[in-house]
Amino acid sequence: KEVPADLIDDLYELMAVSALLRTYLGGDGQELGRLGSLSLDAARQSFKKVDKDLHKLEAAAIVARRLADTPPIGVGYGRKADFTELRLLKNEVGLTRPRTPLRDVVHRAGRALQVLKPVWMMSPTSIAQFIRPGSLNFDLLIIDEASQMRPEFSVSCIMRADQFVVVGDANQLPPSDHFQVASSDDGQDDGDGVGVNEGTESILDLANQRFRTKPRLKWHYRSQHESLIQFSNREFYHRDLVVFPSPTANDDELLGVKCFYAPSFYPDTCYESSINQREAELVIEQAFGLMQTHPERSIGIVAMNAKQTELLQNEFDRLIVEEERVRKYVEAFAGTIDEFFIKNLENVQGDERDIILFAGGLFLMYKATSEIHAAVVGHDEDSERKVKHLSFTTAIIQISILDVVFA
């Protein structure tokens, strides 16, 4: 039978897929073919339950082993200033107003504290402030969000650990020099080959230069829709991230990236003096609608400049006065990590909400990120030539990846 020329490509694809299916179903697929959808679903549910039970049992086993540890008793007689370890802690707990400074308590009862609390979470400043050098040591130090920590700030932490792990994303916005005093160093290297390179901005940069073993986490699981990470994966991660397709992509209209063009709603939309009244009204309307239809979802609004942020805040404050449903929504999230916010672009780093509404077009996005670049990097011509493109794109990627869960 003759086949039209325009169908040859489709016919070839059909034959290739059919051959692959026959090969698979005749081999490994035979076992799968004997199972129905109900059997597979039951197996998945059973695996999920066993996996969760194993996690709980492992956690319980770790706690049980640590509860078996006995903290050192220490000295509990004589002057109170001579008390140490567990005796000192019991004495301090019994006081209405403890008088011993926390730094002294950590120094004199450090081993007992480590037995009672094996895992400590502290900032570099707190470590330097409360743990005296040489008085306390840790088996393992984990530096999280390492792209935001300067090498000099991490030294006090590393000195107090036997080994350390550096965790971070090199594509995030680096620590800013905007509020730092300019260095008087002339920038000349002493040539010993062991110093920190001029371009090193964070402990993550230094670790990437010095460490040979650099495992990379490739599974992206935070976004509930693949379109949220698609651009970042292509432009910044070289398509190396493993992104899982959303099982409800076509069923949930809330998932994914959506664009609302203000002039389509308000033909008289006008951007003037760094503000857009109609755009602000549209954003508030969208937020109000989401609060009514999805009150269980947290929301954040991001504007591209301070004036537009102020306008949005004023419009939302008016809405709170007029609508009791909005007041109840705001009160429901008040005091939680998902509290409703309206912020300027450069103040959003680290915030994560279910729904993020960006107020501003491409021009404003470029202008705002350029201003962040100027504040962070400065106007030195040499530094601009080296990192201008990187700083601009990392500002975009920081907002796109960390601040958007789904929109």
Side-chain angles (χ1 to χ4, degrees), residues 70-74 84-87 111-113 115:
T70 303
I73 301 299
T84 61
E85 303 301 348
L86 190 60
R87 295 290 176 81
R111 289 187 300 161
L113 286 172
V115 172

Side-chain angles (χ1 to χ4, degrees), residues 124 142-154 165-177 199-208 222 237 349-350 376 390-391 394-395 397-399 401-402:
I142 300 177
I143 302 178
D144 194 17
E145 296 292 348
S147 64
Q148 306 301 308
M149 185 182 296
R150 298 180 180 280
E152 58 269 26
F153 293 164
S154 64
V165 177
V166 180
V167 184
D169 186 353
N171 286 314
Q172 290 186 8
L173 194 67
S176 172
D177 287 324
T200 301
E201 297 177 302
S202 67
I203 184 61
L204 181 62
D205 293 333
L206 184 59
N208 282 329
R222 299 179 67 179
Y237 298 99
Q349 182 164 315
V376 172
L390 178 60
S391 297
T394 50
I397 199 68
Q398 177 77 0
I399 299 301
I401 289 182
L402 297 186

Side-chain angles (χ1 to χ4, degrees), residues 72-146:
I73 301 299
V75 177
Y77 55 86
R79 297 186 312 153
K80 295 294 179 65
D82 295 331
F83 281 24
T84 61
E85 303 301 348
L86 190 60
R87 295 290 176 81
L88 171 61
L89 295 179
K90 289 184 175 180
N91 180 74
E92 292 296 311
V93 170
L95 298 176
T96 304
R97 291 186 176 181
R99 298 180 179 179
T100 307
L102 184 56
R103 180 180 174 89
D104 291 341
V105 172
V106 174
H107 176 63
R108 291 157 52 189
R111 289 187 300 161
L113 286 172
Q114 282 187 312
V115 172
L116 296 173
K117 296 290 184 181
V119 180
W120 294 23
M121 182 179 294
M122 305 177 71
S123 67
T125 304
S126 299
I127 290 178
Q129 180 179 357
F130 296 118
I131 303 179
R132 297 181 184 179
S135 65
L136 205 58
N137 202 54
F138 294 87
D139 298 322
L140 175 66
L141 166 69
I142 300 177
I143 302 178
D144 194 17
E145 296 292 348

Side-chain angles (χ1 to χ4, degrees), residues 41-55:
D41 186 65
R44 281 192 294 266
Q45 296 300 325
S46 177
F47 176 83
K48 288 169 61 177
K49 183 180 183 302
V50 171
D51 190 50
K52 289 182 179 180
D53 290 343
L54 286 175
H55 277 82

Side-chain angles (χ1 to χ4, degrees), residues 214-231:
K214 293 180 286 188
R216 181 175 178 181
L217 303 179
K218 294 185 178 182
W219 282 22
H220 177 80
Y221 57 88
R222 299 179 67 179
S223 298
Q224 296 187 21
H225 194 278
E226 57 268 26
S227 65
L228 295 169
I229 194 64
Q230 186 176 20
F231 175 81

Side-chain angles (χ1 to χ4, degrees), residues 184-198:
S184 60
D185 189 6
D186 59 4
Q188 294 181 355
D189 191 3
D190 57 8
D192 59 6
V194 297
V196 179
N197 293 342
E198 182 180 355

Side-chain angles (χ1 to χ4, degrees), residues 355-367:
I355 304 171
I356 294 291
L357 301 177
F358 286 96
L362 181 60
F363 168 74
L364 290 182
M365 180 83 69
Y366 171 77
K367 184 176 183 293

